Amino acid sequence: MLSFGKKNKPKIDLEQHELLEHAQKRIAQKKRLFTHFVIFLIGSIFLLLANKVLKYGEGHDWSVWIVLFWFFLLCLHTFNVFVTQKFMGKEWERKQRERLVALQKKKIAEIQKEIETDFPLSKINKKKE
């Protein structure tokens, strides 16, 4: 059936929207990791060729040290994407947020109690009369 009025947009509830956002962030993280890996491979080959074949800086094996350091950074990136995100993912963030909100509410309640003991409403009302 043809409809010439307003287009019906599919409605996505908040939970589905959050899941989609989380999935998009994870995809972007993994894509950046893959890009890092490809650049690492190409860069490593170039550095090794420059040092060994073109004999640039022939006296030292500087390219090996650069590649090892870069590999270490790639390992850290991989660890961050696949390990850290599992332990400190969405659920961990939610728990931390709830804990911090509870602490704030507790502090606000303590301050309100302190104000009420220092300046009771009954004394303030009597002064106005």
Side-chain angles (χ1 to χ4, degrees):
M1 183 172 145
L2 292 174
S3 174
F4 294 106
K6 295 180 183 176
K7 292 183 179 180
N8 291 333
K9 294 181 181 178
K11 295 183 180 180
I12 300 175
D13 65 345
L14 184 61
E15 186 177 333
Q16 286 177 331
H17 182 68
E18 287 178 0
L19 289 173
L20 273 172
E21 278 186 359
H22 180 66
Q24 288 173 339
K25 286 178 185 177
R26 291 292 292 158
I27 290 169
Q29 284 178 337
K30 290 178 181 180
K31 184 177 179 181
R32 283 191 299 269
L33 177 65
F34 182 72
T35 303
H36 186 177
F37 177 71
V38 170
I39 292 171
F40 166 75
L41 287 178
I42 294 169
S44 298
I45 291 169
F46 174 75
L47 289 172
L48 291 170
L49 285 174
N51 187 222
K52 301 294 181 185
V53 176
L54 300 176
K55 300 187 191 285
Y56 183 78
E58 187 178 6
H60 306 284
D61 284 338
W62 56 269
S63 62
V64 175
W65 292 106
I66 293 173
V67 170
L68 284 174
F69 180 71
W70 198 354
F71 179 72
F72 175 72
L73 293 177
L74 181 67
C75 288
L76 286 177
H77 191 176
T78 305
F79 183 80
N80 183 35
V81 170
F82 289 109
V83 178
T84 306
Q85 289 299 318
K86 287 198 185 253
F87 294 116
M88 293 186 199
K90 201 135 177 80
E91 185 66 23
W92 180 83
E93 288 177 8
R94 185 186 59 75
K95 286 179 183 177
Q96 292 298 314
R97 189 174 27 243
E98 288 174 358
R99 185 181 66 81
L100 291 173
V101 167
L103 281 172
Q104 276 185 321
K105 286 181 180 180
K106 182 181 175 185
K107 286 181 182 178
I108 290 171
E110 288 173 0
I111 292 171
Q112 283 180 336
K113 186 177 179 182
E114 195 175 301
I115 290 172
E116 288 173 4
T117 56
D118 291 345
F119 306 102
L121 286 176
S122 60
K123 287 184 181 178
I124 293 173
N125 288 336
K126 286 181 183 177
K127 288 181 182 178
K128 286 184 181 178
E129 292 174 357

